[in-house]
Amino acid sequence: MPARASQFDPFRKFKFRIKIANQVVAGLTKCSALTVSVESKEFRSGEMDSFKQKLPGMVSFEPITLEQGVTSDKTFEKWATAMANYLGNKGADSQKTPDDFRKEVDIEVYNLNNERVKAYRVYQCWVSKYTAIPDLDANSADVMIQTLVLENEGIQVMQ
């Protein structure tokens, strides 16, 4: 009997780990795509004005969305509310600067043998949006999911 192609696929979507400040975040269920965009600038040169030429412009890094089932683990909640507390000048976080809330995030992809096959470091992440709990519905059997949206300033492939 021939082997199925899926048995040899090392890049399945459900085998990944997220590390924040070098610690694995337990129970993470979803991570959005890592996307880098380079703006395209059009111009016409004086000699060839019958068509536009393009040059690369500003580089931007799309926000990353992390989802986790609501648990007693306070990692997401502490990070998400720290920036809000700072901006609102509430509590001990009022003595910090916005840079104190930025973290490096590592995203690691594993194959079926639990061997790391890809890894990325995302730099200068900070929480721009936090959903503590989703809409509540007593008629639903869905799991409650917390969501963090992370702004970032760069992505690097790790060895």
Side-chain angles (χ1 to χ4, degrees), residues 20-22 78-80 82-83 86 96-105 122-128 150-154:
I20 297 176
N22 246 0
K78 284 180 183 178
W79 189 19
M83 180 67 83
Y86 164 75
K96 296 183 178 181
T97 68
D99 288 339
D100 292 327
F101 306 110
R102 294 176 184 261
K103 296 183 185 293
E104 311 305 321
V105 174
V122 186
Y123 292 98
Q124 297 293 312
C125 295
W126 56 274
V127 179
S128 64
L150 304 178
E151 301 296 329
N152 68 87
E153 295 180 3

Side-chain angles (χ1 to χ4, degrees), residues 93-137:
D93 289 332
S94 64
Q95 301 300 314
K96 296 183 178 181
T97 68
D99 288 339
D100 292 327
F101 306 110
R102 294 176 184 261
K103 296 183 185 293
E104 311 305 321
V105 174
D106 294 338
I107 300 170
E108 301 175 340
V109 179
Y110 290 80
N111 65 15
L112 295 175
N113 294 325
N114 209 31
E115 300 165 331
R116 188 173 90 172
V117 292
K118 291 268 188 190
Y120 301 89
R121 174 155 292 157
V122 186
Y123 292 98
Q124 297 293 312
C125 295
W126 56 274
V127 179
S128 64
K129 184 176 180 180
Y130 173 58
T131 304
I133 57 173
D135 294 333
L136 300 175
D137 181 358

Side-chain angles (χ1 to χ4, degrees), residues 1-5 7-8:
M1 183 163 131
R4 294 184 310 219
Q7 290 175 321
F8 301 105

Side-chain angles (χ1 to χ4, degrees), residues 5-16:
S6 63
Q7 290 175 321
F8 301 105
D9 182 10
F11 303 107
R12 294 203 172 188
K13 293 173 76 168
F14 64 88
K15 297 283 282 181
F16 65 95

Side-chain angles (χ1 to χ4, degrees), residues 18 20 25 28-32 64-68 76 79 105 107 145-150:
I18 305 290
I20 297 176
V25 178
L28 197 68
T29 57
K30 190 173 183 181
C31 176
S32 67
I64 299 168
T65 302
L66 303 178
E67 295 181 4
Q68 175 186 29
F76 273 8
W79 189 19
V105 174
I107 300 170
I145 302 292
Q146 293 177 321
T147 305
L148 282 182
V149 177
L150 304 178

